Amino acid sequence: MSNNISRRSLIAATALLAAPTTLRAQTSARLLIIGGGFGGASAASFARRHYPEAQVTLVEPNTQFVTCPYGNLLLAGERQISHITHSYDGLRARGVRILHDRAIGIDAPAKRVRLQGGDTLTYDRLILSPGIAMRWGAIEGYDQAASEIMPHAWVPGDGTQTLLLRRQLEAMPDGGVVGIAIPANPFRCPPGPYERISMIAHYLKKHKPRSKILALDAKEAFSKQGLFQDGWRALYGEMIEWVPGNRDGKVVKVDPRERVLETEFGTRHKVDVANVIPPQSAGTIAIEAGLANDTGWVPVNTRSFEARAAQGIHVIGDANIPGPMPKSGYIAHSTAKQAVASAMAGLRGEAPPEALYFNTCYSHVGTDYGISVVGIFRPNADGTAIAEVPNSGGVSPRGDLPEQRRLEAIYADTWYEAITKSMFG
Ligand SMILES: Cc1cc2nc3c(=O)[nH]c(=O)nc-3n(C[C@H](O)[C@H](O)[C@H](O)COP(=O)(O)OP(=O)(O)OC[C@H]3O[C@@H](n4cnc5c(N)ncnc54)[C@H](O)[C@@H]3O)c2cc1C
């Protein structure tokens, strides 16, 4: 095993265990968490472990959580939905009060949250992790109805979108074209679309080898680009065509009935299966609560994750503007701990603890071909900025390194097991 890879896997392993060093709360504070995904479930789990005196309530509409991570392997036929579905029973057993409901309004001055089911909850501190919302209409013709024909498969939900895309791939004839529309930054999971391209190619190579993937991108460059493109050439030959924004890759309009993706300069691509990943914003509840700025994302204090627009509301996960940090499940998990520790410190009138945030994003290019990018980030003392720790991160080395790729695919599997276990017990 190379030094490079062992250092990275060590960072990944220790980061999952790391917790902000702070005093335990001496109070039975009411911690209310909205959203039971990577940020919210991590916060609930961490709060119960480290602050047993606190009353922790989690509001989440779905009774099970289907993860986006490993959803691309489901598209490849390499995982079943049961592999990526997690129950809230473990959190319940740890003493988290779980309400399967939807938050529909936040009254920040009164510290109250209204639920769709009619209840109103009060809190001492609120942790908000609602994930993303799709910007319907940002691509002309792409609304919720269109997403039932051209799935985005970009939110966890109950897995409906990912399963729909899988069924469409299964039904496509050999020789068909899969069109994928990819948005500009920032969006959820920067390497996600390219792992998706890889996993769809893996499926097509096995079952429909005359087919093609047309990836239309609004950007000119993407995460782990050299590594992905090396892998595509090695594993899938000419199957994948990636079209960057400056070569007319930006999709601006769709026609779901005709299955057409139309680009900025008017090129109409008729495809057999269309996966449209549209531009995104913070989850609707964060926007309606007035926490987002005109970017559509929520500015936060980088040490406490408190929203700039409302004290006592800590916004974590993809909904916030995380400086140079990616919108990833790993960052949501890492920053959830800091948000809880800061909330509890705040209730004691103390400053947020010192912090480091960790990220490792693994991607599968093939089932036994993994690559990764690592970053470690440090907020400044007053929470106004955040920077990558110099020389702390990096990406997998390029070159013909089959053993390294094989090991990284295994590390990805163990990362997934460790993080979901830490979130859901
Ligand atoms: C295909 C794909 C692959 C990915 N792979 C990886 C990977 O390998 N590694 C990685 O680190 N990240 C990966 N990600 C990114 C990761 O999924 C997200 O960064 C992560 O889910 C963000 O966590 P979150 O808590 O912000 O949002 P989510 O995990 O989406 O959770 C939000 C939750 O809030 C709930 N909610 C929303 N509104 C309300 C409301 N009003 N009231 C109550 N509940 C509400 C939702 O139902 C949802 O359960 C991937 C993403 C995609 C799309």
Side-chain angles (χ1 to χ4, degrees):
M1 192 191 304
S2 76
N3 284 342
N4 195 353
I5 202 160
S6 56
R7 182 175 59 82
R8 232 201 315 276
S9 50
L10 184 68
I11 289 169
T14 52
L16 281 177
L17 299 174
T21 50
T22 188
L23 297 172
R24 296 188 173 202
Q26 303 300 314
T27 159
S28 65
R30 292 162 306 169
L31 205 56
L32 177 57
I33 301 169
I34 297 179
F38 271 82
S42 302
S45 168
F46 179 76
R48 283 304 302 159
R49 257 192 226 143
H50 291 269
Y51 303 95
E53 311 83 356
Q55 297 170 35
V56 182
T57 302
L58 174 68
V59 179
E60 162 63 49
N62 296 305
T63 53
Q64 293 184 310
F65 184 71
V66 179
T67 63
C68 290
Y70 276 71
N72 288 332
L73 278 91
L74 183 147
L75 297 177
E78 298 290 340
R79 290 291 187 284
Q80 299 300 316
I81 193 78
S82 57
H83 294 134
I84 58 169
T85 301
H86 300 269
S87 151
Y88 289 100
D89 289 348
L91 281 177
R92 214 173 264 117
R94 274 187 207 163
V96 179
R97 176 182 173 222
I98 297 178
L99 303 176
H100 290 301
D101 208 328
R102 179 176 291 281
I104 54 167
I106 300 173
D107 181 342
K111 299 193 169 166
R112 272 201 298 260
V113 170
R114 260 182 323 115
L115 303 184
Q116 200 164 40
D119 287 342
T120 297
L121 305 175
T122 49
Y123 61 84
D124 296 310
R125 287 280 166 144
L126 178 62
I127 310 266
L128 186 58
S129 194
I132 56 165
M134 300 299 160
R135 290 188 197 242
W136 302 121
I139 293 176
E140 193 182 331
Y142 197 69
D143 55 16
Q144 198 146 7
S147 76
E148 279 154 34
I149 301 169
M150 297 175 150
H152 51 75
W154 215 245
V155 291
D158 56 4
T160 307
Q161 278 275 310
T162 310
L163 289 170
L164 173 61
L165 184 54
R166 169 71 189 161
R167 280 197 302 278
Q168 291 184 350
L169 292 168
E170 284 174 314
M172 187 182 85
D174 189 10
V177 176
V178 180
I180 304 182
I182 305 169
N185 293 322
F187 66 99
R188 159 172 285 180
C189 195
Y194 312 97
E195 182 188 64
R196 176 164 292 174
I197 291 168
S198 311
M199 288 295 92
I200 292 177
H202 172 83
Y203 167 72
L204 296 177
K205 184 181 168 182
K206 241 177 162 174
H207 299 282
K208 299 168 191 196
R210 293 187 300 114
S211 307
K212 293 265 173 229
I213 298 175
L214 177 65
L216 299 167
D217 205 328
K219 303 181 291 304
E220 276 79 59
F222 60 85
S223 171
K224 295 181 264 187
Q225 181 166 353
L227 286 160
F228 271 114
Q229 289 180 323
D230 290 349
W232 291 346
R233 265 190 302 275
L235 300 178
Y236 309 117
E238 301 296 305
M239 183 178 270
I240 299 165
E241 185 186 356
W242 173 71
V243 185
N246 60 2
R247 284 190 20 231
D248 199 21
K250 183 177 179 185
V251 172
V252 295
K253 188 175 175 181
V254 296
D255 180 342
R257 263 196 330 155
E258 296 293 322
R259 283 209 162 75
V260 167
L261 302 174
E262 190 172 327
T263 56
E264 207 171 6
F265 300 114
T267 314
R268 287 169 58 82
H269 297 278
K270 189 162 171 54
V271 298
D272 297 281
V273 171
N275 170 212
V276 177
I277 306 168
Q280 299 144 31
S281 70
T284 312
I285 183 77
I287 305 228
E288 288 178 356
L291 302 177
N293 66 12
D294 54 14
T295 65
W297 306 100
V298 179
V300 289
N301 177 302
T302 57
R303 267 187 83 177
S304 68
F305 290 90
E306 262 179 298
R308 296 268 172 218
Q311 277 191 336
I313 303 181
H314 303 253
V315 182
I316 53 171
D318 291 352
N320 68 26
I321 301 174
M325 299 193 295
K327 293 186 184 298
S328 76
Y330 205 140
I331 285 293
H333 180 77
S334 178
T335 54
K337 298 171 184 175
Q338 176 68 6
V340 169
S342 301
M344 299 307 285
L347 290 173
R348 295 192 303 268
E350 294 169 10
E354 297 253 334
L356 277 181
Y357 312 127
F358 298 88
N359 184 61
T360 304
C361 274
Y362 292 102
S363 302
H364 285 86
V365 184
T367 45
D368 54 1
Y369 191 122
I371 57 175
S372 64
V373 56
V374 172
I376 300 179
F377 305 89
R378 192 196 305 276
N380 65 353
D382 63 3
T384 52
I386 191 163
E388 189 154 6
V389 175
N391 304 317
S392 67
V395 292
S396 313
R398 286 179 76 178
D400 184 21
L401 301 164
E403 182 58 3
Q404 165 126 12
R405 308 291 180 236
R406 189 184 72 79
L407 286 171
E408 291 219 55
I410 295 170
Y411 296 154
D413 293 351
T414 52
W415 168 81
Y416 182 80
E417 270 173 44
I419 198 165
T420 51
K421 197 164 182 197
S422 168
M423 288 160 62
F424 296 106

